[in-house]
């Protein structure tokens, strides 16, 4: 294992940890979506690093699918959150619970 690969894995773990802490601590739904995106990108970084380390393209293919799913998640989730925040400025994650029906 090269030092550069190890640095990418450590960076991935740090980014994932920051996203997890942000998701657990923050109450603003927009910030929570950004934290989820940070966690997804951290996992993507680790997939690419492992793909390079193992000389296998599977990790990069998985990253492609994760990016597509993340884009769809952002479009739907961000649309819902922006609609709630427009109706009720200063909305928190508890206010999103109202969408339950």
């Amino acid at each position: 294992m090269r030092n550069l690969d190890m640095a990418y894995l450590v960076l991935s773990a740090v980014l994932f940890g920051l996203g997890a802490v942000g998701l657990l601590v923050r109450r603003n739904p927009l910030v929570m979506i950004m934290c989820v995106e940070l966690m997804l990108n951290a996992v993507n970084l680790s997939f690419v690093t492992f793909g390079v380390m193992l000389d296998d393209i599977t990790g990069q293919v998985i990253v492609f699918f994760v990016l597509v799913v993340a884009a769809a998640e952002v479009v739907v989730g961000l649309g819902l959150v922006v609609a709630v925040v427009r109706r009720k400025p200063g909305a928190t994650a508890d206010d999103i619970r109202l969408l339950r029906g």
Side-chain angles (χ1 to χ4, degrees):
M1 180 182 299
R2 298 178 316 172
N3 287 336
L4 188 59
D5 295 337
M6 188 64 164
Y8 281 130
L9 290 177
V10 169
L11 176 64
S12 172
V14 168
L15 289 175
F16 189 85
L18 284 174
V21 168
L23 185 66
L24 294 174
V25 171
R26 300 298 301 255
R27 303 299 301 164
N28 187 339
L30 291 173
V31 175
M32 292 174 78
I33 285 179
M34 288 191 296
C35 289
V36 169
E37 290 299 317
L38 185 62
M39 292 169 63
L40 285 173
N41 286 324
V43 171
N44 286 341
L45 181 61
S46 67
F47 276 139
V48 169
T49 303
F50 281 123
V52 169
M53 286 172 53
L54 301 174
D55 197 22
D56 189 13
I57 197 165
T58 307
Q60 292 159 359
V61 172
I62 292 173
V63 166
F64 178 72
F65 287 116
V66 169
L67 287 175
V68 170
V69 170
E73 173 249 333
V74 164
V75 167
V76 173
L78 200 57
L80 289 172
V81 168
V82 167
V84 168
V85 170
R86 279 188 179 173
R87 283 185 146 221
K88 190 174 181 180
T92 64
D94 294 331
D95 297 326
I96 303 295
R97 193 182 67 180
L98 298 174
L99 295 175
R100 205 181 300 170

